C-alpha cells in the first residue's frame, strides 16, 4: 500500500553539531536528514551485525529494570488492541535489558518471532555513557531534549501524533516512516484515548491491509501521505502534531529520538484541555456547542492578544501573556474549581 505515495523531502549534509533547527521549525515540514548520524558508534556497530550493536548496548547498561511490551507471534510486531478495542494485544513486562537483548538475539532468524518492544527508554537513566558517541548537540541551541531509545524487532508503531517536535535517528536496522498532516485526523480513524499502545491515540487502520469498506476516508488520507525508508544513520524531523506510522523492517532495530516543545515548561500539554472539553462541552446541545465554539475562537484560537486588547494592561490578568507565576496561579485556580 506504500506504492505511489509521495516521498518525504530530503535534506543532505547535516551533521550532529550543525542542526538546522530554526529552519526546520519555521518550515514545519517532515524532513529526512540523510546520513545525520552515520558516524555514531552505535550505527557503525549495527552495520557490522546486530550482535555487535547489542554488545555495545550491554557495555553501557547499568542493570536497572526496564518495561517492555511482549506479544505472542500472532501479534506480528504490531502492539495494538483486541477485537473489541477494550484491551491491548501485548503485555507489559519488567526485566533486565540484557535479558531482552538475549531473547531478541535468539529470534533473529525466526520469521515469526514474539514481539519485543522497549519504548521511549531515557538513555541517561539506563545506558549512561552511550551519549558520548551517539548524540545530537541540542544544548548548542539552548534546547533541553534528553534522548530516548527504542529497541525491538520488526515492530510497527501504529499511526499517531505527538505534541512535541521530534527528531528520530535510525541507528540499527531500517525503518519505514509514513506521515500525514494534522488535518487528516478524521480520515485516519483514531482509536480509544484510553488505553493506548504507546500513550497516544493511534489509527485503527491496518496499514498493511487497509479495510476501505470499513474505513473509506483512509483513501483521502493516503492522498496526503508521504513515506520514506530510513537507512541506519538517517534521521527524520517530524513537526509537532503530524501523524506518523513507523514500521521496523529488520529483525533487530534501534532508534534514538529527541522530543522538544516549542513552549516553556510551565505551559502544560493541551491534552488536559481536550479531556476537560470532552467532559464539559461535547455532549451539550448543538446550539450551545456552537456558542462555545465562538467563545473559544475569541479567547483561544484567534490572535493571542485580541481578548485583552481593549483593556488596560493592569486589568488583563490571564488575558495577557502567561509567565511562570501566572501559570502557577492558573493551576491553583483550576484545581480549586475541579475539587468543588
Amino acid at each position: 500500500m506504500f506504492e505511489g505515495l509521495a516521498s518525504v523531502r530530503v535534506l543532505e549534509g547535516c551533521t550532529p553539531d550543525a542542526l538546522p533547527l530554526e529552519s526546520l521549525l519555521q518550515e514545519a515540514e517532515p524532513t529526512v536528514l540523510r546520513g545525520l548520524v552515520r558516524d555514531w558508534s552505535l550505527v557503525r556497530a549495527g552495520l557490522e551485525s546486530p550482535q555487535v550493536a547489542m554488545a555495545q548496548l550491554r557495555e553501557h547498561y547499568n542493570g536497572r529494570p526496564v518495561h517492555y511490551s511482549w506479544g505472542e507471534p500472532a501479534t506480528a510486531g504490531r502492539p495494538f488492541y483486541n477485537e473489541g478495542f477494550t484491551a491491548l494485544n501485548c503485555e507489559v513486562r519488567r526485566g533486565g535489558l540484557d535479558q531482552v537483548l538475549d531473547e531478541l538475539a535468539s529470534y533473529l532468524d525466526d520469521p515469526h518471532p514474539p514481539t519485543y518492544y522497549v519504548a521511549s527508554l531515557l538513555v541517561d537513566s539506563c545506558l549512561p555513557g552511550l551519549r558520548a558517541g551517539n548524540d545530537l548537540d541540542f544544548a548548542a541551541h539552548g534546547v533541553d531534549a534528553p534522548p530516548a531509545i527504542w529497541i525491538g524487532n520488526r515492530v510497527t508503531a501504529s499511526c499517531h501524533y505527538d505534541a512535541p517536535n521530534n527528531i528520530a535517528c535510525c541507528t540499527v536496522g531500517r525503518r519505514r516512516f509514513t506521515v500525514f498532516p494534522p488535518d487528516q485526523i478524521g480520515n485516519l480513524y483514531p482509536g480509544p484515548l484510553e488505553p493506548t499502545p504507546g500513550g497516544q491515540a493511534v489509527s485503527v487502520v491496518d496499514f498493511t491491509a487497509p479495510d476501505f469498506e470499513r474505513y473509506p476516508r483512509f483513501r483521502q488520507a493516503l492522498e496526503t501521505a508521504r513515506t520514506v525508508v530510513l537507512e541506519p544513520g538517517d534521521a527524520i524531523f517530524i513537526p509537532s502534531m503530524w501523524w506518523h506510522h513507523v514500521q521496523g523492517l529488520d529483525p533487530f532495530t534501534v532508534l534514538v529520538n529527541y522530543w522538544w516543545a516549542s513552549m516553556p515548561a510551565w505551559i502544560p500539554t493541551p491534552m488536559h484541555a481536550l479531556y476537560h472539553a470532552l467532559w464539559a462541552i461535547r455532549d451539550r446541545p448543538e446550539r450551545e456547542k456552537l456558542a462555545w465554539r465562538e467563545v473559544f475562537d475569541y479567547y483561544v484560537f484567534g490572535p493571542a492578544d485580541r481578548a485583552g486588547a481593549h483593556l488596560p494592561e493592569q486589568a488583563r490578568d490571564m488575558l495577557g501573556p502567561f509567565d511562570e507565576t501566572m501559570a502557577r496561579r492558573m493551576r491553583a485556580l483550576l484545581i480549586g474549581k475541579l475539587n468543588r
Side-chain angles (χ1 to χ4, degrees):
M1 64 141 287
F2 295 98
E3 295 180 2
L5 299 185
S7 298
V8 179
R9 75 169 186 172
V10 175
L11 190 62
E12 303 277 0
C14 296
T15 60
D17 58 352
L19 289 172
L21 285 190
E22 290 187 14
S23 61
L24 289 173
L25 290 173
Q26 288 175 358
E27 294 161 6
E29 288 286 331
T31 304
V32 173
L33 307 172
R34 188 73 73 196
L36 176 67
V37 297
R38 62 165 60 97
D39 293 328
W40 279 11
S41 63
L42 187 56
V43 173
R44 295 197 302 269
L47 291 175
E48 289 188 49
S49 72
Q51 291 85 352
V52 174
M54 290 179 185
Q56 184 172 139
L57 293 173
R58 288 191 183 96
E59 287 174 9
H60 292 282
Y61 178 47
N62 62 7
R64 285 190 177 182
V66 302
H67 290 93
Y68 63 98
S69 296
W70 182 91
E72 298 282 356
T75 62
R78 186 187 181 212
F80 196 62
Y81 295 96
N82 61 12
E83 287 295 324
F85 293 94
T86 56
L88 302 180
N89 65 355
C90 288
E91 59 186 76
V92 177
R93 294 183 172 182
R94 187 171 184 265
L97 181 59
D98 49 357
Q99 169 202 333
V100 175
L101 293 172
D102 288 344
E103 294 183 26
L104 280 165
S106 72
Y107 289 108
L108 287 175
D109 297 322
D110 189 334
H112 303 290
T115 295
Y116 288 87
Y117 197 30
V118 179
S120 193
L121 176 67
L122 286 175
V123 169
D124 293 341
S125 69
C126 284
L127 297 162
L130 183 66
R131 290 178 73 176
N134 305 274
D135 200 15
L136 299 181
D137 192 7
F138 273 86
H141 300 268
V143 174
D144 181 23
I149 195 166
W150 308 67
I151 302 168
N153 42 16
R154 290 187 179 92
V155 177
T156 294
S158 295
C159 196
H160 63 285
Y161 69 86
D162 296 307
N165 301 293
N166 184 9
I167 288 183
C169 305
C170 189
T171 55
V172 182
R174 298 164 300 139
R175 271 182 163 82
R176 177 185 288 116
F177 281 76
T178 304
V179 298
F180 303 82
D183 63 7
Q184 292 303 301
I185 181 171
N187 296 331
L188 289 168
Y189 297 90
L193 290 175
E194 295 286 345
T196 66
Q200 284 282 36
V202 303
S203 170
V204 300
V205 179
D206 183 352
F207 278 38
T208 61
D211 183 344
F212 290 112
E213 290 189 9
R214 189 173 182 182
Y215 308 115
R217 294 193 308 275
F218 185 58
R219 291 189 187 275
Q220 295 171 246
L222 289 176
E223 293 175 2
T224 72
R226 308 171 202 177
T227 191
V228 65
V229 172
L230 295 191
E231 299 291 335
D234 293 339
I236 184 170
F237 166 68
I238 303 173
S240 167
M241 305 302 289
W242 275 71
W243 289 76
H244 47 288
H245 180 272
V246 188
Q247 184 180 13
L249 302 177
D250 290 303
F252 180 61
T253 56
V254 182
L255 180 140
V256 174
N257 89 298
Y258 300 79
W259 279 313
W260 76 102
S262 56
M263 301 299 296
W266 61 79
I267 301 295
T269 171
M271 284 301 297
H272 300 336
L274 175 61
Y275 284 123
H276 197 181
L278 287 171
W279 175 28
I281 297 175
R282 184 197 60 195
D283 296 330
R284 293 183 179 275
E286 190 64 23
R287 66 181 183 279
E288 292 185 25
K289 288 170 65 174
L290 291 175
W292 277 108
R293 176 184 290 176
E294 294 296 331
V295 172
F296 273 74
D297 281 345
Y298 180 74
Y299 284 103
V300 178
F301 296 109
D305 59 351
R306 177 172 63 183
H310 60 284
L311 298 173
E313 185 174 350
Q314 66 272 16
R316 291 173 188 171
D317 196 48
M318 67 184 68
L319 299 181
F322 269 77
D323 57 18
E324 192 166 4
T325 300
M326 178 60 73
R328 286 198 297 268
R329 284 184 53 206
M330 178 62 82
R331 184 175 185 274
L333 174 71
L334 289 172
I335 290 173
K337 288 182 178 295
L338 289 171
N339 284 338
R340 287 178 183 172

